[in-house]
Amino acid sequence: MKTLVIAEKPDMGRTIARVIEPGAARRQGYLEGERYIITWAIGHLVSLAEPESYDAKYKKWRDEDLPILPAAFKLQPNPKTKDQLKVIAELAKRCDRIVNACDAGREGQLIFHLIREYLKLHHPVDRLWISDLTPETIRRGFAELRSDREFDALTRAARARSQADWLIGMNASRAFTIRHRTLLSAGRVQTPVLALLYERHKEIEAFRPEVYYTVHGRFLSGNTAYRGIRTGERLTSREAAEAIAAKAAGRTGRIAEYDVSEQKEYPYRLYDLTLLQREANAKYGFSAKKTLDLAQSLYERHQVITYPRTSSRYVTEENIPYMHKALAMLRELEPYTRVAAGADMRLVHRGNKAVCNPAKVEDHHAILPTPKKPGSLTPDERKLYDMIVRRFLSHYYPPAVYRVHEIVTEAADETFKTTVKEQLDAGWKAVLETDDGGNGKKGRHGSREGEDDEDGTQLVTGGFTLNPDAPVRCEAVDIAEKTTKPPKPYTEGTLLKAMESAGRMIEDEDLREAMKETGLGTPATRAATIERLKQVGYAAIRGRAIEITPKGVAAVELIRGAGVELLTSPEMTGRWEQRLHQISRGEASDEPFMDNVRRFAVKIVELVRMQRPVPPGTFAEPERGGRSGKKGRARRTQAAAQPAGSAAARGKARQPAAIAPCPRPGCGGTLIEGKRGYGCSRYREGCRFVIWKQSAGKRISAAMAASLATSGRTRPLVLTLPDGTKAKGRLRLVDPATGEIAPEPE
């Protein structure tokens, strides 16, 4: 009998067939050769079943039917690809062995084993575990097939992740939707990511711009001209700035301090998927999903890059010869022949820890170009391929070298600071010289010669000499009016970075350390999480920014108001990823993990049941101008989320979202956000409970107010005590009748 090879996608299956069965006959849904039959999944052919598969009563969303906690999870085929599933089932009858050739990672493992479980396939299984689809790697992979049993722990982790997401997402979404009579989606990863957007939205909303002035002197010492920025207290009046300018202009000064040092800048790390997505978003405006799709095409269809869904930015010793082969190919590929010819192979070796660090490579190494020359790529594929190639080539070049001049100039009792960065050797940055197409535009690697970087550093390439003992004349003084800027809205790129580093927000030091390598989601799932937020109406793209919608704001406030703040924090998903990682390595059992997930699902349902429903009409916007039809129908917007004091809030009499039940004994009201504090909805009936937004030396967020109202304390914070010292502690609700709070040092 033959061996059945199951790849994850058709392109991957056809690529494998060309290597192991070059004469294979093409059939509907598979390729058949003498030894192997190669077929494929089309993504997830099988998934966890919907609740109504367990009981018809779950077709209707009713509170009395929650929580939904299957004793054993059922599976269901994807109706769009059920024919391909039948093909696999029939082919398996003709084979006595199976090769799992799905993507070498947690998700690929899940895709294969859901198919195997649903079809009840009991064949012995081998695992093809490779990081690129070049013929050489495929041949080596089949020569070194491993038993799929070696990956049992990874399979358990994949199954646990899928089932846990089902339990939390299904129960939380149904509970909130039933309680508040509008479709509200919640999930283990998507809700903390939504909370990131919410907190940034609140920071921007609370920001108040301030005008200030900077004073810049233009100095001449001998034949050397340079600029300096005045140091000292911030100037908030133009008059003060003009007085300084009038005093210093035309005066002779002196160089009070002059320091020269040599600085080296090394190449940026090789790409993992998240870094690639971030930089492609910043450079080309690509969404995270688009970058992932392009990378998958370069990997599967064109075989010109290695496995893209990686979380590592390093390679192992075994990858070094492979990298040299890719370099040899690039020396014959335009437009890289010149920079590849200048590459020094001796710089990429096992001792270069910036490239080769096996301790930081788990399943897959960093994304690399393969030794295969690309054929016809789309314009966007070529852009992404170019990014990967240039990052790869940069590591074959020495560091960029600069002579940094730090100058402090005194004139008319005013001090001016100057930093001049003199380029001695472009090093690896020569690889990036063509990034702007020769148009001289400033890129992410610095300013044009003679211009200032954002921090005021002046970059020069033609040399810079200065005699610190010579007199200096202040030729002129310029005044710049500036305005403090609010935090920038997230782009998909900066949101990915925030997801990647979300563990830094966690107070627990052990968990923060454990989350250093995980963050929110995984490189393979982060793009899908962002797309999900857009699909459910929680986030929207405006230009390159991704911003929370009114409905998204309301969802966060309702979830926190129900006392389920943990669902909006990175802490829960961080603990999950930590435990799933341990399960995948065989260091922990999946059964206690799933027991805890079930308990949390029950807790969510119980807490939401106690939450006061939002008032009728909160989510609906009335028809305008008597119009009928689709444009005139009530839209499902979240009025409760309108920023306090915003134009929309001033122009419409809407009910704000409930943050938490009012803790005043016997009140029965809910806390709502106002301009200066969080007060009770029953203030007209005489309730005077309020938590002021500026209290005890801290700005109180809606999440903190909810925590104070429901548990009487905030999470651990850094507090400013009455004597001005800082200490770790919490804020405590001192008087539940009035809302008075006080610091409580640890």
Side-chain angles (χ1 to χ4, degrees):
M1 297 183 79
K2 297 181 179 181
T3 297
L4 180 63
V5 179
I6 302 178
E8 189 162 319
K9 293 179 182 176
D11 281 344
M12 188 185 300
R14 286 190 279 267
T15 300
I16 291 171
R18 281 195 291 270
V19 176
I20 63 171
E21 288 283 8
R26 190 179 295 269
R27 303 282 188 254
Q28 184 65 39
Y30 66 98
L31 295 159
E32 185 165 357
E34 294 181 3
R35 295 178 55 202
Y36 296 102
I37 300 176
I38 302 95
T39 188
W40 42 80
I42 306 172
H44 281 271
L45 296 184
V46 178
S47 61
L48 297 180
E50 294 296 318
E52 52 266 32
S53 298
Y54 300 91
D55 195 317
K57 69 180 181 181
Y58 293 134
K59 285 185 179 180
K60 291 185 178 180
W61 290 28
R62 294 180 298 203
D63 180 68
E64 58 266 30
D65 294 332
L66 297 179
I68 305 171
L69 303 169
F73 281 88
K74 295 182 178 181
L75 303 178
Q76 66 182 26
N78 183 338
K80 294 181 180 178
T81 53
K82 61 182 181 182
D83 289 344
Q84 183 62 19
L85 190 62
K86 290 178 182 176
V87 168
I88 295 175
E90 291 302 314
L91 293 174
K93 295 174 184 177
R94 300 168 46 200
C95 299
D96 61 357
R97 196 168 195 86
I98 297 176
V99 173
N100 173 6
C102 291
D103 276 0
R106 191 169 73 183
E107 198 65 16
Q109 198 71 3
L110 180 65
I111 287 172
F112 173 83
H113 278 276
L114 288 179
I115 293 171
R116 189 186 187 202
E117 183 181 343
Y118 182 79
L119 295 179
K120 297 180 173 58
L121 305 179
H122 301 294
H123 307 58
V125 178
D126 293 320
R127 186 60 161 110
L128 177 69
W129 193 268
I130 56 177
S131 289
D132 68 70
L133 292 171
T134 57
E136 180 183 349
T137 300
I138 292 171
R139 275 191 287 269
R140 186 175 67 249
F142 270 87
E144 301 171 356
L145 286 173
R146 300 162 67 180
S147 169
D148 194 71
R149 297 296 301 272
E150 292 181 38
F151 300 89
D152 281 353
L154 182 64
T155 305
R156 286 194 297 273
R159 187 177 286 115
R161 194 277 307 160
S162 177
Q163 294 175 357
D165 282 351
W166 190 99
L167 286 168
I168 298 303
M170 200 65 70
N171 284 290
S173 297
R174 288 196 175 207
F176 281 106
T177 297
I178 292 166
R179 194 65 176 160
H180 301 293
R181 301 179 299 281
T182 193
L183 184 60
L184 293 171
S185 176
R188 171 183 68 95
V189 177
Q190 82 170 45
T191 307
V193 176
L194 179 62
L196 292 175
L197 295 176
Y198 174 87
E199 296 299 342
R200 180 58 53 89
H201 165 77
K202 286 295 182 182
E203 289 171 6
I204 294 170
E205 184 188 58
F207 178 81
R208 298 294 178 267
E210 296 178 1
V211 175
Y212 68 99
Y213 300 86
T214 56
V215 178
H216 304 260
R218 285 186 269 163
F219 299 98
L220 183 65
S221 177
N223 294 322
T224 301
Y226 62 93
R227 297 181 299 278
I229 184 169
R230 175 192 171 273
T231 61
E233 75 283 356
R234 175 175 284 183
L235 301 174
T236 57
S237 74
R238 176 171 284 278
E239 291 76 12
E242 289 175 345
I244 291 170
K247 181 173 64 168
R251 298 288 296 274
T252 298
R254 72 183 188 92
I255 295 175
E257 296 178 26
Y258 181 48
D259 182 67
V260 181
S261 61
E262 190 172 284
Q263 183 183 93
K264 293 182 179 181
E265 290 185 12
Y266 291 87
Y268 299 113
R269 294 283 181 260
L270 294 167
Y271 284 120
D272 65 5
L273 177 59
T274 302
L275 184 60
L276 182 63
Q277 289 170 318
R278 282 167 43 195
E279 294 195 10
N281 178 258
K283 188 169 186 177
Y284 298 118
F286 292 170
S287 70
K289 182 179 184 302
K290 179 171 183 175
T291 298
L292 176 58
D293 290 345
L294 290 170
Q296 282 293 131
S297 178
L298 291 171
Y299 167 65
E300 292 175 2
R301 183 181 176 194
H302 301 288
Q303 299 101 49
V304 294
I305 67 168
T306 57
Y307 183 74
R309 295 172 184 252
T310 176
S311 59
S312 178
R313 298 175 187 174
Y314 300 88
V315 301
T316 66
E317 298 172 4
E318 297 165 353
N319 303 129
I320 301 297
Y322 183 88
M323 293 176 70
H324 294 340
K325 288 182 181 179
L327 174 63
M329 179 275 295
L330 291 169
R331 285 174 170 162
E332 300 175 357
L333 178 67
E334 290 292 350
Y336 308 111
T337 52
R338 182 182 62 81
V339 289
D344 185 350
M345 292 177 62
R346 295 171 299 176
L347 295 177
V348 175
H349 54 83
R350 67 172 60 182
N352 181 350
K353 294 301 180 184
V355 177
C356 183
N357 194 337
K360 294 190 177 182
V361 179
E362 289 196 358
D363 295 336
H364 297 285
H365 55 71
I367 302 172
L368 305 170
T370 69
K372 180 182 177 181
K373 284 187 179 181
S376 178
L377 303 180
T378 68
D380 286 345
E381 286 173 341
R382 188 160 293 283
K383 287 176 182 175
L384 202 69
Y385 181 70
D386 183 78
M387 288 178 64
I388 294 166
V389 166
R390 291 187 185 278
R391 180 61 54 89
F392 168 82
L393 287 172
S394 70
H395 286 273
Y396 285 92
Y397 276 73
V401 183
Y402 299 90
R403 184 178 292 126
V404 180
H405 305 258
E406 298 282 357
I407 309 162
V408 176
T409 307
E410 291 180 353
D413 298 324
E414 297 292 340
T415 301
F416 297 82
K417 184 179 179 182
T418 303
T419 301
V420 175
K421 203 171 176 182
E422 178 190 359
Q423 181 175 291
L424 304 179
D425 185 349
W428 63 272
K429 292 192 176 184
V431 176
L432 311 175
E433 282 180 356
T434 58
D435 273 7
D436 60 12
N439 60 11
K441 289 183 180 177
K442 188 166 69 173
R444 69 181 295 270
H445 302 289
S447 58
R448 292 175 294 190
E449 182 176 0
E451 288 189 354
D452 291 357
D453 274 343
E454 290 182 2
D455 63 357
T457 300
Q458 299 160 40
L459 177 66
V460 296
T461 56
F464 182 87
T465 57
L466 185 67
N467 180 358
D469 299 318
V472 178
R473 177 178 170 80
C474 183
E475 296 285 292
V477 180
D478 303 315
I479 296 173
E481 180 178 298
K482 298 189 176 183
T483 305
T484 55
K485 298 289 190 290
K488 291 182 179 180
Y490 282 116
T491 63
E492 288 203 24
T494 56
L495 181 59
L496 285 165
K497 183 177 182 180
M499 293 170 71
E500 192 176 38
S501 60
R504 296 174 191 169
M505 298 178 243
I506 295 174
E507 298 289 340
D508 184 300
E509 290 186 12
D510 291 337
L511 181 58
R512 186 168 64 244
E513 183 66 24
M515 265 195 81
K516 230 189 242 182
E517 304 298 325
T518 54
L520 291 173
T522 66
T525 61
R526 286 177 186 138
T529 299
I530 294 173
E531 289 302 308
R532 175 67 178 165
L533 292 176
K534 291 188 259 184
Q535 290 164 5
V536 299
Y538 286 166
I541 298 294
R542 294 181 178 88
R544 286 198 178 184
I546 179 168
E547 298 179 3
I548 194 168
T549 64
K551 184 177 180 181
V553 172
V556 173
E557 292 178 347
L558 286 171
I559 290 167
R560 287 175 171 172
V564 198
E565 186 179 348
L566 190 61
L567 191 58
T568 66
S569 80
E571 184 174 349
M572 182 192 72
T573 194
R575 290 190 185 280
W576 280 27
E577 287 297 342
Q578 180 187 29
R579 187 49 52 93
L580 288 169
H581 187 66
Q582 291 169 344
I583 294 169
S584 71
R585 296 170 68 89
E587 298 167 358
S589 169
D590 54 318
E591 292 179 5
F593 170 79
M594 291 304 301
D595 289 341
N596 287 330
V597 170
R598 288 187 173 89
R599 280 193 288 271
F600 187 51
V602 172
K603 180 181 177 183
I604 291 172
V605 171
E606 291 173 346
L607 288 169
V608 175
R609 277 196 182 118
M610 294 187 290
Q611 189 174 34
R612 180 184 293 267
V614 294
T618 296
F619 292 90
E621 184 174 323
E623 296 183 14
R624 300 179 182 179
R627 290 185 181 179
S628 60
K630 290 182 179 178
K631 290 185 178 179
R633 290 175 190 159
R635 294 184 300 173
R636 303 181 74 79
T637 58
Q638 178 49 34
Q642 289 294 349
S646 69
R650 291 193 300 269
K652 299 181 179 74
R654 292 176 174 177
Q655 294 285 341
I659 292 172
C662 178
R664 180 171 169 263
C667 174
T670 55
L671 291 192
I672 56 178
E673 182 174 2
K675 187 174 182 180
R676 292 185 297 160
Y678 307 93
C680 181
S681 61
R682 293 177 61 86
Y683 67 93
R684 289 191 178 91
E685 286 82 358
C687 182
R688 294 292 178 262
F689 182 94
V690 63
I691 296 174
W692 300 107
K693 287 187 175 179
Q694 290 292 344
S695 298
K698 299 292 289 186
R699 178 169 180 82
I700 309 300
S701 67
M704 293 164 69
S707 182
L708 285 162
T710 55
S711 65
R713 284 176 172 79
T714 64
R715 61 180 175 82
L717 304 165
V718 176
L719 302 173
T720 302
L721 302 181
D723 62 1
T725 60
K726 295 186 181 297
K728 286 186 177 181
R730 302 170 188 259
L731 293 178
R732 178 171 61 89
L733 181 62
V734 177
D735 189 345
T738 65
E740 180 187 354
I741 62 177
E744 185 181 67
E746 291 182 350

